[in-house]
Amino acid sequence: MTNLLELNDHGYFATRGLNVLAFSNWYDGLFSDAKISGIELIHHDVRTATNGDVRLHPTPAQWDATPLLQDRHVDPESGSVETHLAYPGHDVRYTVKVEVQGDGVLLSVDLEQPLPRELEGRAGFNLEFLPSAYFGKAYLVDGRSGLFPRYPTGPTTVLGDGTVEPKPIVTGRMFVLAPDDPARRVSITAHHGELQLFDGRNVAQNGWFVVRSPLPSATAGRVVEWFVTASTLAGWTRPPVIAHSQVGYHPDQQKVAVVELDRHDSLHPTARLLKLTDDGTFVEHYQDKARPWGNYLRYTYATFDFSSVREPGLYAVEYGDTRTHTFQIAPDVYETTWHPTLDVFFPVQMDHMFVREAYRVWHGASHLDDALQAPVNHEHFDLYAQGPTTDTPYQPGEHIPGLNIGGWFDAGDFDIRTQTQYATLLDLVQTWETFRIERDETTVDQERRFVALHAPDGIPDLLQQIEHGTLALIAQHRAVGHAIPGIVEPDLTQYAHLGDASTKTDNRVYNPRMKVGETDGFSSGTFDDRWAFTSKSTPLNYGSIAGLAAASRALRGYRDELADECFATAVRVWDEEHTHAPDIFAHGNTTGGSLEEEELRAAVELLICTGDARYAQRIDELWPAIERNFAKHAEVAVRAIPYMDASYAGRFEDRVAAYSQEIAEIARANPFGVPISTGGWAGNGRIIRFAITNYLLHRAFPQLIGAESIFAALNYIYGCHPGSAISFVSGVGAVSKEVAYGNNRADFSFIAGGIVPGVLIIKPDFPENKEDWPFFWGENEYVVNVGASYLFLVNAVNDLLKRAR
């Protein structure tokens, strides 16, 4: 059956079991087509369709052209949403209108004027359907039947320019998706033209099934009109979610499960904590009220507090007919939860190294041909840019020697983003200095470029990771005299590479005097080397030397010569930067943070290294910036207190008192007690940083900052969050992220110990983290610096628990 849709106060069409969003979300400006835009369907609480819009390709990929949204008008009186859009480069303006009609919605596209000649045969109205929602399901097209393919098998064609484009699987006027499944059945009838079904996975693993109507030539006004219905289950109510830590809890900590309910559901008065006995039976151990919390996003929430339970054992929470997976209450519950991150995730992310795990080779030694000088006045598609000069002794296209060492793959892709590298290094050093982790489970041999997982070599793994990050940063200063924004593939074909990073280039330095394919074993005529973007940026330089200064302390006694070089480089660059006005070259997210943020980092690390009054003076001069943006700067600035005068500590304490009220406001804003982001990238990284800041402030000012927010943040990462109860650390917890956006994402797999971004709020009110589709980078992409911050946080929580005993 289908219930009638109504336009609600949030500006989208809703009925029980179905929502139709009309441009509530817009293409991500940084990463283009993120599959979150246009007309979207949320079907029984699963977002199954997106990007309903006029596009210039049958199956648009990430960087294909997207239109400009000019305005959006919600008309409650007529029950319609009208959006005006344009492709300015082609002088195309059009309107997409969605309005309730009968038991569905009418989608229409009106062109202000006929398509220009260059878009004839190219432009069409697309609606993309999530493949994983339709695997194993059938379709009907004008009465003809078919099955949605589990794996792409064509058809495709080669265009005149050599590019591959999918051909329609089937065409017709009426399309029914999943006629056999009322939870996913969608019917589309074209009142104008035809419907075509494409499989976008034929050209990109992250492609979707696309239903498309080509726009007619020489026609203005109404060019597309679809009638769309979606079946709903009678009386459907979303099952409750019991958000809790999939890892479990320490006996001494607060233990609160958060019950997430459909607004149509009624609240059960109680919840129970069950204990698992030796014979496999669950017995009630504790019962208490499920206390109403209120509404947040689209759900209603209640809490179940079982903090009084301290007895170690295996437990589950039961609310009504819903029961969680088993979790621990144990004094050592967090002792090993960071091991997969250090033992597996970090080694797998190591660039320029061969990485083996038992029988498996994760990747060969990669990017040994790094790197060519990037061309001037060039803007790269992945947020890098080169300014009007190289700022190096090298000409565009010339090989810069010495950059093929150290560093980690930035994220699910393979670039060396310097800002990520030094952020990672700083957290690793702080973890080493604060908690002295000496775990050794990995062999790292820099001379042989060899890494073996689960093979101790007598050296603390954390120190070896610090060394690896340091080598990448110091290599830049050795090669060109300053930090560089990063090293990245020059073209999209290489950038989209999935699998073994060592096969992305031939690992031989490009020689323009050789023919394509020619090689002497050391260089080759194949132009596949990565580019080094080298524009000088003072903030980036400061961030880099902060990492080098910190590393010089950690490496002392292990790699003394490298430690000396790092310290000397940091001092030299600091002194040099203070002889001239800052070099400000800002582009994307690759040229460092703000000037004040990065200079503060460098000053604090150099102060800790030396105790030199000139660094203390500069920190004091930066106090207005610290005070103004305290939440961002506090975790760095607080570490300077032991080296500053009493007035600095006094000002700091006053600002911490005010900040404690900010923490309290965050705790009241949602039932999870942490700052949940609403932008295009989910907020686990921010939540971890929030907890680290609060831990450092708690250590310095325990009378002002409590520990509750620190535990809340870790619980959030482990499953106490909106939308589901999955642990966001792959391989950690009873239920964790097993489909993620790592470099093995095409296999629908994961890298143990990687941390994903988490819950993305699909505007206006839908929390999403896809568990069956890895390709949402804003929800599922591992980023290496989040792994480093997570290492610190887990050990910080262990430290708090030990201190409380």
Side-chain angles (χ1 to χ4, degrees):
M1 66 171 291
T2 301
N3 296 319
L4 298 182
L5 289 156
E6 295 181 353
L7 184 60
N8 66 17
D9 294 340
H10 298 292
Y12 62 84
F13 302 90
T15 189
R16 198 160 178 170
L18 178 66
N19 307 142
V20 180
L21 279 59
F23 294 92
S24 297
N25 298 280
W26 188 239
Y27 305 101
D28 190 314
L30 289 178
F31 301 101
S32 189
D33 186 352
K35 307 299 184 192
I36 305 173
S37 187
I39 309 302
E40 304 183 87
L41 303 182
I42 299 175
H43 204 178
H44 297 106
D45 225 51
V46 177
R47 191 168 60 97
T48 58
T50 191
N51 281 13
D53 196 0
V54 172
R55 302 301 298 274
L56 308 185
H57 296 272
T59 60
Q62 181 175 343
W63 288 275
D64 285 328
T66 56
L68 175 69
L69 190 151
Q70 297 181 316
D71 65 74
R72 175 178 182 265
H73 179 64
V74 178
D75 185 355
E77 188 172 331
S78 66
S80 66
V81 178
E82 191 169 281
T83 309
H84 300 279
L85 307 105
Y87 283 95
H90 298 283
D91 195 26
V92 172
R93 288 175 295 278
Y94 63 97
T95 300
V96 178
K97 186 176 182 179
V98 185
E99 54 192 313
V100 175
Q101 187 177 92
D103 60 352
V105 292
L106 190 70
L107 310 183
S108 60
V109 179
D110 288 84
L111 288 175
E112 284 193 9
Q113 55 191 25
L115 289 173
R117 186 176 299 274
E118 71 269 17
L119 294 188
E120 292 181 357
R122 288 181 56 196
F125 182 78
N126 292 6
L127 183 59
E128 304 190 28
F129 287 86
L130 178 67
S132 58
Y134 288 93
F135 288 153
K137 302 191 188 304
Y139 60 79
L140 290 170
V141 180
D142 295 347
R144 291 169 289 148
S145 62
L147 291 173
F148 284 102
R150 182 62 179 82
Y151 198 85
T153 56
T156 58
T157 186
V158 180
L159 303 180
D161 61 0
T163 60
V164 175
E165 187 170 278
K167 293 171 65 177
I169 297 173
V170 66
T171 62
R173 297 292 296 270
M174 181 179 179
F175 198 110
V176 183
L177 296 85
D180 52 338
D181 183 358
R184 291 289 172 265
R185 185 166 58 243
V186 176
S187 298
I188 304 173
T189 302
H191 294 166
H192 296 276
E194 68 175 8
L195 299 171
Q196 304 172 326
L197 174 64
F198 294 88
D199 188 345
R201 299 172 301 157
N202 282 295
V203 293
Q205 274 81 8
N206 61 357
W208 290 33
F209 297 129
V210 181
V211 178
R212 175 179 173 89
S213 281
L215 300 192
S217 303
T219 305
R222 183 66 48 92
V223 291
V224 172
E225 190 172 271
W226 290 2
F227 179 63
V228 180
T229 64
S231 63
T232 55
L233 301 171
W236 181 81
T237 300
R238 177 181 181 262
V241 172
I242 305 174
H244 66 290
S245 169
Q246 295 287 349
V247 165
Y249 304 88
H250 189 280
D252 296 341
Q253 76 174 103
Q254 189 179 41
K255 310 170 192 70
V256 180
V258 178
V259 181
E260 184 178 78
L261 299 170
D262 189 306
R263 296 265 180 112
H264 293 98
D265 206 348
S266 56
L267 180 65
H268 289 284
T270 61
R272 302 193 301 160
L273 184 70
L274 309 178
K275 188 172 185 182
L276 182 61
T277 63
D278 292 344
D279 63 3
T281 59
F282 282 96
V283 296
E284 182 178 306
H285 190 80
Y286 179 76
Q287 182 180 118
D288 198 7
K289 294 179 181 177
R291 291 176 169 79
W293 185 90
N295 296 332
Y296 175 66
L297 300 173
R298 60 174 52 202
Y299 303 117
T300 294
Y301 290 89
T303 60
F304 171 57
D305 190 333
F306 54 101
S307 301
S308 61
V309 178
R310 297 171 45 83
E311 182 181 333
L314 295 175
Y315 294 88
V317 172
E318 187 175 83
Y319 170 84
D321 295 329
T322 302
R323 182 184 293 179
T324 69
H325 285 77
T326 306
F327 58 84
Q328 295 184 81
I329 294 178
D332 60 350
V333 67
Y334 302 121
E335 290 294 330
T336 64
T337 57
W338 52 273
H339 289 180
T341 304
L342 184 60
D343 295 0
V344 181
F345 178 70
F346 265 96
V348 170
Q349 294 297 112
M350 294 172 78
D351 200 357
H352 305 117
M353 305 291 276
F354 177 100
V355 180
R356 175 184 292 279
E357 181 181 19
Y359 296 162
R360 177 180 191 171
V361 173
W362 279 92
H363 57 80
S366 49
H367 307 120
L368 301 185
D369 42 10
D370 278 346
L372 300 180
Q373 171 67 61
V376 297
N377 296 313
H378 180 80
E379 184 172 341
H380 188 268
F381 49 83
D382 194 36
L383 305 178
Y384 292 90
Q386 186 67 42
T389 62
T390 65
D391 295 337
T392 74
Y394 300 94
Q395 296 300 310
E398 186 177 357
H399 178 71
I400 302 175
L403 295 178
N404 60 347
I405 186 172
W408 303 277
F409 304 141
D410 175 68
D413 47 14
F414 298 103
D415 54 316
I416 296 286
R417 177 179 174 265
T418 297
Q419 194 171 346
T420 305
Q421 303 295 311
Y422 64 68
T424 303
L425 182 59
L426 284 164
D427 277 337
L428 293 181
V429 170
Q430 191 169 358
T431 302
W432 173 256
E433 293 185 328
T434 308
F435 308 114
R436 203 68 177 186
I437 294 173
E438 296 189 345
R439 181 173 175 79
D440 173 27
E441 285 292 324
T442 307
T443 291
V444 178
D445 188 329
Q446 290 289 344
E447 289 188 7
R448 295 170 54 211
R449 297 184 181 272
F450 177 80
V451 177
L453 280 64
H454 319 305
D457 61 359
I459 302 169
D461 294 339
L462 187 54
L463 268 186
Q464 292 176 314
Q465 292 298 331
I466 289 169
E467 178 187 18
H468 196 69
T470 301
L471 289 172
L473 294 185
I474 198 66
Q476 298 175 6
H477 292 273
R478 291 169 180 168
V480 302
H482 58 81
I484 66 174
I487 304 171
V488 68
E489 301 79 14
D491 66 75
L492 278 173
T493 301
Q494 282 182 291
Y495 181 82
H497 176 93
L498 293 175
D500 188 338
S502 70
T503 62
K504 185 149 52 67
T505 74
D506 64 5
N507 288 301
R508 296 179 175 92
V509 173
Y510 173 64
N511 184 341
R513 294 181 295 277
M514 289 183 172
K515 297 177 182 178
V516 175
E518 182 182 357
T519 179
D520 59 8
F522 301 97
S523 58
S524 81
T526 302
F527 186 67
D528 63 357
D529 301 14
R530 295 196 296 184
W531 289 358
F533 285 81
T534 58
S535 292
K536 192 168 184 289
S537 161
T538 293
L540 194 71
N541 241 2
Y542 280 139
S544 175
I545 65 169
L548 291 176
S552 74
R553 301 192 302 268
L555 294 172
R556 185 72 58 198
Y558 168 57
R559 292 284 187 263
D560 287 336
E561 187 175 338
L562 181 58
D564 290 342
E565 183 184 7
C566 290
F567 176 71
T569 300
V571 172
R572 174 185 62 77
V573 172
W574 174 275
D575 290 343
E576 192 272 333
E577 285 291 353
H578 285 85
T579 65
H580 59 80
D583 295 306
I584 303 297
F585 178 79
H587 183 83
N589 63 357
T590 61
T591 49
S594 68
L595 179 63
E596 61 194 27
E597 174 187 6
E598 303 294 14
E599 187 178 10
L600 177 63
R601 286 185 203 268
V604 169
E605 296 301 339
L606 283 165
L607 178 63
I608 295 171
C609 284
T610 66
D612 193 320
R614 59 178 173 152
Y615 304 120
Q617 179 182 343
R618 186 61 187 136
I619 294 168
D620 203 54
E621 292 167 352
L622 287 168
W623 175 255
I626 298 169
E627 186 174 37
R628 184 172 58 250
N629 199 352
F630 190 75
K632 185 173 187 177
H633 297 318
E635 70 163 291
V636 175
V638 70
R639 296 173 57 236
I641 288 177
Y643 309 90
M644 302 290 287
D645 62 25
S647 67
Y648 180 84
R651 281 175 285 162
F652 215 101
E653 184 169 5
D654 291 342
R655 187 60 183 86
V656 170
Y659 173 71
S660 68
Q661 299 306 308
E662 298 172 30
I663 297 175
E665 290 177 14
I666 289 170
R668 292 190 294 268
N670 62 68
F672 306 99
V674 299
I676 298 177
S677 301
T678 57
W681 192 277
N684 282 351
R686 179 189 177 200
I687 289 167
I688 292 173
R689 292 248 73 89
F690 169 75
I692 290 173
T693 294
N694 295 349
Y695 167 78
L696 294 172
L697 294 179
H698 172 75
R699 289 285 304 272
F701 303 99
Q703 74 280 12
L704 296 175
I705 302 295
E708 295 81 7
S709 65
I710 306 164
F711 288 99
L714 190 58
N715 286 342
Y716 184 97
I717 300 301
Y718 287 153
C720 194
H721 51 70
S724 74
I726 197 167
S727 166
F728 289 134
V729 187
S730 290
V732 174
V735 181
S736 71
K737 288 299 296 187
E738 295 182 5
V739 173
Y741 193 105
N743 56 55
N744 59 345
R745 57 190 175 275
D747 301 320
F748 282 62
S749 190
F750 65 96
I751 304 172
I755 297 91
V756 302
V759 174
L760 189 69
I761 307 303
I762 306 298
K763 295 180 179 62
D765 62 1
F766 182 64
E768 178 180 86
N769 181 271
K770 288 291 188 190
E771 299 173 24
D772 59 359
W773 190 250
F775 301 106
F776 286 107
W777 50 81
E779 301 175 11
N780 286 334
E781 184 170 11
Y782 302 131
V783 183
V784 68
N785 62 299
V786 179
S789 61
Y790 167 77
L791 278 179
F792 185 91
L793 175 57
V794 180
N795 283 278
V797 166
N798 280 324
D799 176 66
L800 289 174
L801 292 167
K802 289 173 184 175
R803 289 173 181 271
R805 291 174 189 168

